[in-house]
DNA sequence: GTCCATGTTCTTTA
DNA sequence: CTAAAGAACATGGA
């Protein structure tokens, strides 16, 4: 579900309520979603104050009192939502429940690609720069070093952190760049257009509270609306909104990749 | 039954 | 050695 706009929207709907609250009770219903394995999150979380909640890459970072932090990653199917009525039985695949002075929050994740991570995100070398504040020089440098197709390079969180399959495809369309174009063969002009496209797409997606294709919801259960504005993602076989050409779907590294062959020519 | 899925990490290959 | 490609993870919906 979650790429930068979706994760940010969860944080935006979670933080105002949860900031400053205290965790009264922690219920861990399965412990194999916790990393590192064996971390006693119940003991570590109960009684703690949540000072802030923020996003880093696709992570929802909880700042706790005592200068400690952990994060929740939503993986593909994770949800982090307030329970309107805490007396209602938790949904299937509810793995963690935080009962706080500001309400009850539940982490649900059927596929369990997400999880709870007791780790610091501040100096994590596996996370590249944030796209919204990324500068052209940095991106040029990062892309110049790799001979992979631009699509896979942009999915690499060490190069740029927060994009996923949807927003890479959408950004490449706006930039008019073919997904198979080699990263280090893009001109400076191409990269400049690409960075502008990435920021533009992400900001627009944020305004529309992310994309709900299947079951993504924010912390209050609200769906995103940006999927209605997708140019290419999940639009294979449909006409391009710009030129009417048929949108193509190919598979790259096991991920479906959608693009307009006319607006995104090979070069 | 088949194929597909908004992500990450580990393993294999070149 | 490193970079890139591929497989694996687990569940559910069409």
């Amino acid at each position: 579900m979650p790429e930068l706009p979706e994760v940010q929207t969860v944080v935006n709907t979670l933080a105002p309520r949860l900031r400053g609250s205290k965790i009264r009770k922690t219920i861990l219903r399965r412990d194999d979603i916790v990393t590192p394995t064996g971390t006693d999150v119940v003991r570590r979380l109960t009684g703690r104050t949540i000072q802030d909640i923020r996003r880093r890459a696709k992570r929802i970072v909880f700042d706790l009192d005592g200068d400690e932090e952990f994060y929740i990653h939503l993986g593909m199917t994770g949800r982090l939502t307030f329970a309107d009525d805490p007396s209602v039985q938790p949904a299937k695949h509810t793995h963690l429940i935080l009962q706080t002075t500001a309400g009850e929050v539940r982490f649900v994740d059927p596929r369990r690609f997400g999880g709870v991570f007791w780790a610091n995100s501040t100096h994590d070398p596996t996370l590249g720069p944030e796209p919204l504040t990324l500068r052209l020089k940095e991106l040029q440098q990062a892309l110049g070093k790799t001979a992979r197709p631009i699509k896979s390079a942009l999915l690499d969180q060490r190069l740029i952190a927060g994009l996923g399959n949807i927003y890479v495809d959408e950004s490449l369309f706006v930039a008019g760049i073919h997904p198979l174009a080699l990263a280090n063969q893009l001109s400076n002009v191409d990269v400049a257009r690409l960075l502008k496209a990435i920021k533009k797409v992400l900001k627009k997606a944020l305004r529309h509270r992310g994309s709900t294709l299947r079951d993504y919801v924010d912390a209050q259960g609200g769906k995103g609306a940006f999927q209605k504005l997708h140019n290419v993602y999940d639009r294979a076989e449909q006409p391009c909104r710009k030129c009417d050409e048929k949108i193509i779907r190919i598979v790259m590294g096991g991920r479906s990749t959608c693009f307009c062959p006319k607006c995104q020519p090979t070069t």
Side-chain angles (χ1 to χ4, degrees):
Chain A
M1 314 156 73
E3 301 180 30
L4 185 153
E6 290 78 29
V7 176
Q8 184 67 57
T9 303
V10 171
V11 167
N12 290 349
T13 47
L14 203 59
R17 265 182 79 176
L18 227 44
R19 191 178 288 127
S21 71
K22 188 173 166 181
I23 301 169
R24 285 197 181 115
K25 189 176 179 186
T26 309
I27 303 168
L28 184 64
R29 300 171 93 225
R30 357 177 12 132
D31 59 11
D32 62 353
I33 57 136
V34 177
T35 303
T37 310
T39 307
D40 188 350
V41 291
V42 172
R43 185 176 58 76
R44 301 186 106 123
L45 293 180
T46 309
R48 305 297 290 277
T49 297
I50 300 170
Q51 291 186 330
D52 201 7
I53 299 172
R54 59 196 162 85
R55 181 192 61 76
R56 168 69 174 115
K58 299 174 190 172
R59 302 174 176 179
I60 299 165
V61 180
F62 291 71
D63 289 316
L64 302 172
D65 59 282
D67 216 27
E68 284 197 291
E69 65 177 69
F70 73 101
Y71 69 89
I72 289 179
H73 197 295
L74 300 177
M76 287 273 243
T77 54
R79 286 182 179 201
L80 193 61
T81 51
F82 278 104
D84 297 323
D85 184 354
S87 66
V88 169
Q89 274 293 330
K92 198 175 173 184
H93 306 298
T94 301
H95 307 313
L96 177 75
I97 297 173
L98 297 179
Q99 292 177 356
T100 80
T101 51
E104 179 169 314
V105 177
R106 298 176 178 179
F107 171 58
V108 183
D109 184 14
R111 281 170 79 179
R112 305 208 303 281
F113 286 0
V116 176
F117 297 78
W118 194 266
N120 195 293
S121 298
T122 310
H123 299 109
D124 186 335
T126 67
L127 295 180
E130 285 289 325
L132 289 171
T133 50
L134 180 56
R135 282 196 298 227
L136 180 56
K137 270 232 162 112
E138 284 183 275
L139 185 61
Q140 281 169 342
Q141 212 163 15
L143 295 180
K145 278 188 297 196
T146 180
R148 295 136 86 198
I150 185 63
K151 159 99 188 202
S152 8
L154 293 176
L155 285 173
D156 186 339
Q157 302 298 298
R158 286 167 307 189
L159 296 189
I160 177 170
L163 299 179
N165 216 23
I166 296 176
Y167 297 103
V168 167
D169 281 7
E170 291 299 317
S171 299
L172 287 173
F173 173 83
V174 170
I177 295 172
H178 195 287
L180 287 171
L182 300 185
N184 60 2
Q185 284 180 15
L186 294 176
S187 69
N188 286 346
V189 177
D190 287 332
V191 179
R193 226 176 36 249
L194 176 58
L195 182 57
K196 276 198 191 318
I198 289 169
K199 292 184 180 182
K200 187 175 167 183
V201 166
L202 290 177
K203 284 178 187 171
K204 193 168 174 187
L206 281 165
R207 286 199 295 276
H208 292 272
R209 308 169 66 85
S211 304
T212 297
L213 286 136
R214 209 178 214 122
D215 49 6
Y216 161 73
V217 290
D218 65 29
Q220 291 165 152
K223 292 183 179 181
F226 189 67
Q227 68 283 357
K228 295 171 198 160
L229 303 177
H230 287 177
N231 282 298
V232 287
Y233 190 86
D234 204 31
R235 292 198 69 241
E237 303 299 310
Q238 294 178 50
C240 174
R241 299 193 200 279
K242 206 183 274 179
C243 77
D244 228 40
E245 188 83 8
K246 220 188 232 183
I247 301 300
I248 284 180
R249 174 186 176 272
I250 61 173
V251 176
M252 291 180 64
R255 318 297 303 278
S256 74
T257 298
C258 302
F259 65 100
C260 171
K262 210 164 159 186
C263 297
Q264 298 165 263
T266 344
T267 32

